[in-house]
């Protein structure tokens, strides 16, 4: 609902969920009083029955007020995420109610259609236990009352439902949105009734109400199922959806320092999205806090732009697998300045290196032993670096599970074997 | 305004591979088809090594390194110019507009534009973001700004100028800009003038962050910056912002040379 140039206090009041629900309750009281009084006076069970339906809506509106009150209570030690999920019970119930209402409305529309063809009606009733058809009883005297009451009811329902849905989305109250959808559904049903009344009066074609009723029943049923499923998913902590999860994953990978997203779990608590993320990063602790900040900033902005009213983001950063293994370098050290030896047999020394994350983290140097292959095997070396692979040597090493690799450079430091000089 | 060229030191390590990938990506973005790869040589090479390769050992090594580099995953340019050096790489000379991609040189060479890729494999490997230039009241911000604007002009990137100011207790305004000292405001005008003159899109953010480096990195993470461009303060003897940023930033850093300009 668009409110033109209100003062800030009036605007704040108009956007207050309790004010909205008071407006809704007043609307239903007025509707119920008018419909029951006039329905009884003009002897119209249709109008009076709709009035009693509005009495039930008053009770529902009061229940929504209570639910909003509970949902707005602040989070506590016992309720760390607050009590917002209570709104999704309401959503679940209203969704189920709408789905049932759509079935009832579809059946009464079908019964109306069948009444147009008595032969078919009789055949179907022989198989299915259908309710009795209640034809529209209207006289010239009752027509203006029925049109007046139904038209104003349609208008009120449609305007107030828009207001409820708008404020519900703004304030993040799912029960307000669900109640708004229910009000809108009431309005649609009333509109169909109005079209039937007008069709009968103007064209003697009351049947027009029935096919329209089927369409409206479908729309109401769809809304009901959506509300029910939405409530169901939140209450059972369904994920926030694969599309949102993919977007969150992509945002994590866009953050500098993130190697991969190893775990992503999401669920909703009321209108709040909860994301539990584990990312892999090679950075140290100093950078990790900034990586967390970057992810939180990007994911929060995304979620708040996409229907969520809040978010809780838990991020864990872990190091990639160290892939611990051993390699060896064949070195020539018989002159100043060690170089990588052309072949294993030409080496004067072997350097056995512990490798973590692809980097040499520890190295021990041994003079070339009598049986270097046995020593490499004993030290569990996976690969041996030489300058040029010799087919015979490579074969021998391969038989012992060791790969021989040709180093592109003869300078040990270039190969990651930077030995600090000692005095 | 000269376009920067790219050099990198060869190292057969994970960090070395990332530096090669980053350097080649940067060269490709600068529309250069060549990256200069620096490899150490040894004039007094061991006779056995010489016998093995039959030709000049350094030429053989260049061929082998060149062959290895172009096959590395993520290497993005067709040509590699191998430059063999015999003394320490710490004294190697480069043309003034060169950006040297290397992690270790940042602490050793103040006379070079050194890009530290950290854990990133390319400037835009995580999408396109701005270049972030923190500035204060000294000349380092302008030096960094010159380099950043030259690079942004060549790459078509946006530049974010960032300043963190301390609150002036005598000023009641809540706007951080009103707390800047005149020298910093002057630096801001110079930087914005440089960007405007080069036709580079820019934005200036002023904050009252408690810690300059923390504020800079947080701003880089918020804005999805591809690169933080900084310069060492010539008067700083302890507590260099550059060193602190190198220690903590996940975003790659480009440290502008002390004495030279690429503009």
């Amino acid at each position: 609902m668009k409110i033109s140039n209100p003062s800030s206090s009036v605007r704040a009041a108009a956007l207050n969920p309790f004010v909205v629900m008071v407006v809704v309750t007043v609307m239903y009281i007025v509707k119920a009083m008018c419909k029951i009084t006039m329905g009884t006076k003009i002897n119209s069970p249709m109008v009076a029955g709709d009035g009693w339906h509005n009495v039930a809506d008053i009770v529902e509106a009061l229940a929504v007020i209570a639910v909003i009150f509970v949902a707005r209570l602040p989070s506590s030690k016992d309720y760390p995420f607050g009590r917002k999920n209570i709104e999704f019970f309401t959503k679940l119930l209203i969704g189920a109610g709408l789905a049932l209402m759509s079935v009832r409305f579809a059946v009464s529309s079908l019964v109306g259609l069948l009444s147009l063809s008595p032969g078919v009606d009789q055949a179907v009733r022989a198989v299915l236990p259908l309710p009795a058809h209640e034809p529209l009883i209207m006289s010239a005297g009752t027509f203006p009352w029925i049109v007046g009451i139904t038209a104003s009811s349609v208008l009120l329902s449609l305007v107030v439902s828009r207001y409820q849905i708008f404020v519900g989305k703004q304030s993040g109250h799912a029960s307000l949105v669900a109640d708004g959808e229910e009000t809108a559904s009431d309005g649609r049903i009333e509109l169909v009734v109005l079209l039937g009344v007008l069709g009968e009066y103007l064209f003697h074609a009351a049947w027009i109400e029935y096919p329209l009723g089927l369409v409206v029943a479908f729309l109401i049923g769809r809304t009901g199922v959506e509300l029910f499923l939405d409530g169901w998913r939140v209450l059972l902590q369904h994920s926030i959806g694969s599309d949102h999860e993919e977007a969150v994953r992509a945002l994590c990978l866009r953050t500098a320092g993130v190697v991969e997203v190893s775990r992503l779990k999401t669920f909703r608590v009321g209108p709040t999205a909860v994301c539990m993320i584990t990312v892999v990063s090679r950075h140290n602790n100093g950078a990790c806090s900034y990586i967390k900040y970057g992810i939180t900033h990007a994911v929060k902005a995304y979620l708040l732009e996409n229907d969520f009213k809040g978010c809780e983001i838990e991020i864990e950063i872990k190091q990639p697998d160290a892939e611990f293994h051993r390699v060896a370098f064949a070195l020539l050290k018989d002159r100043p300045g060690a170089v990588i030896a052309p072949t294993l047999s030409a080496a004067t020394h072997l350097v056995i290196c512990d490798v973590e994350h692809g980097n040499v983290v520890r190295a021990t140097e041994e003079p070339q032993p009598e049986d270097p292959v046995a020593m490499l095997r004993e030290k569990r070396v996976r690969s041996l670096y030489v300058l040029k692979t010799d087919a015979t040597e490579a074969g021998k090493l391969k038989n012992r599970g060791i790969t021989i690799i040709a180093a592109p450079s003869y300078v040990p430091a270039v190969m990651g074997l930077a030995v600090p000089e000692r005095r | 305004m000269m376009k920067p060229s790219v050099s990198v030191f060869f190292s057969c390590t994970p960090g070395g591979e990332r530096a090669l990938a980053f350097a080649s990506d940067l060269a490709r973005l600068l529309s250069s088809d060549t990256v200069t790869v620096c490899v150490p040589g040894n004039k007094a090479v061991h006779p056995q090594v010489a016998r093995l390769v039959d030709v000049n050992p350094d030429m053989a090594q260049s061929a082998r390194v060149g062959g290895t580099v172009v096959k590395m995953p993520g290497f993005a340019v067709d040509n590699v110019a191998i430059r063999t050096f015999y003394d320490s790489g710490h004294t190697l000379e480069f043309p003034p507009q060169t950006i040297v991609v290397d992690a270790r040189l940042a602490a050793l060479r103040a006379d070079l534009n050194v890009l530290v890729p950290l854990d990133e494999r390319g400037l835009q490997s995580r999408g396109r973001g701005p270049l972030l230039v923190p500035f204060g009241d000294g000349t380092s911000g302008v030096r960094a700004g010159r380099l950043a604007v030259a690079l942004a002009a060549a790459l078509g990137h946006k530049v974010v100028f960032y300043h963190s100011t301390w609150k002036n207790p005598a000023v009641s305004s809540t706007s951080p800009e009103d707390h800047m000292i005149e020298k910093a405001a002057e630096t801001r005008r110079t930087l914005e003038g440089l960007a405007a003159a080069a036709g580079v899109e820019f934005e200036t953010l002023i904050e009252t962050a408690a810690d300059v480096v923390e504020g800079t990195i947080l701003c880089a993470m918020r804005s999805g910056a591809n690169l933080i461009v900084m310069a060492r303060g010539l008067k700083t003897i302890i507590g260099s912002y550059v060193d602190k940023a190198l220690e903590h930033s996940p975003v790659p850093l480009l440290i502008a040379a002390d004495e030279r300009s690429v503009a």
Side-chain angles (χ1 to χ4, degrees), chain B residues 116-140:
Chain B
V116 184
L118 300 170
D119 203 30
E120 304 303 301
R121 297 189 69 89
L123 189 72
Q124 298 172 358
S125 58
R126 296 181 190 272
R128 198 180 171 84
L131 309 185
L132 184 86
V133 183
F135 68 93
D137 61 347
T139 57
S140 59

Side-chain angles (χ1 to χ4, degrees), chain B residues 102-166:
Chain B
D102 191 88
R104 293 152 302 174
L105 278 192
L108 303 168
R109 296 286 297 269
D111 59 324
L112 298 177
N113 301 311
V114 181
L115 194 154
V116 184
L118 300 170
D119 203 30
E120 304 303 301
R121 297 189 69 89
L123 189 72
Q124 298 172 358
S125 58
R126 296 181 190 272
R128 198 180 171 84
L131 309 185
L132 184 86
V133 183
F135 68 93
D137 61 347
T139 57
S140 59
V142 177
R143 271 186 291 127
R146 278 203 195 100
L147 178 59
V149 167
L151 195 57
L155 297 170
H157 274 236
K158 179 184 165 180
V159 175
V160 173
F161 298 118
Y162 173 83
H163 177 70
S164 169
T165 180
W166 283 7

Side-chain angles (χ1 to χ4, degrees), chain A residues 147-297:
Chain A
V147 169
I149 290 169
T150 316
S152 1
S153 195
V154 169
L155 196 67
L156 268 176
S157 294
L158 296 180
V159 170
V160 170
S161 69
R162 301 287 299 166
Y163 178 36
Q164 275 183 285
I165 293 169
F166 174 76
V167 177
K169 284 185 175 173
Q170 286 280 309
S171 57
H173 285 292
S175 54
L176 197 51
V177 175
D179 198 53
E181 295 286 2
E182 207 260 346
T183 310
S185 298
D186 285 349
R188 288 188 200 113
I189 292 173
E190 289 161 348
L191 183 63
V192 169
V193 172
L194 179 64
L195 288 172
V197 169
L198 290 172
E200 167 65 12
Y201 185 77
L202 298 173
F203 312 111
H204 296 291
W207 61 267
I208 204 164
E209 176 184 349
Y210 307 127
L212 281 174
L214 283 176
V215 175
V216 168
F218 169 75
L219 294 175
I220 294 170
R222 196 175 61 179
T223 307
V225 169
E226 279 172 7
L227 290 177
F228 182 86
L229 286 178
D230 207 19
W232 178 266
R233 284 173 185 147
V234 173
L235 292 173
L236 269 67
Q237 297 192 322
H238 188 279
S239 82
I240 59 172
S242 55
D243 289 354
H244 290 315
E245 286 198 341
E246 276 314 302
V248 168
R249 194 179 291 275
L251 287 168
C252 292
L253 291 172
R254 269 194 64 115
T255 307
V258 174
V259 176
E260 66 167 299
V261 180
S262 65
R263 188 187 67 132
L264 174 61
K265 283 188 178 176
T266 65
F267 60 92
R268 289 176 66 174
V269 176
T272 303
V274 181
C275 299
M276 294 188 296
I277 307 169
T278 305
V279 296
V280 176
S281 174
R282 284 184 277 261
H283 280 277
N284 59 22
N285 287 338
C288 284
S289 61
Y290 295 107
I291 294 171
K292 282 184 183 177
Y293 173 85
I295 293 172
T296 305
H297 179 79

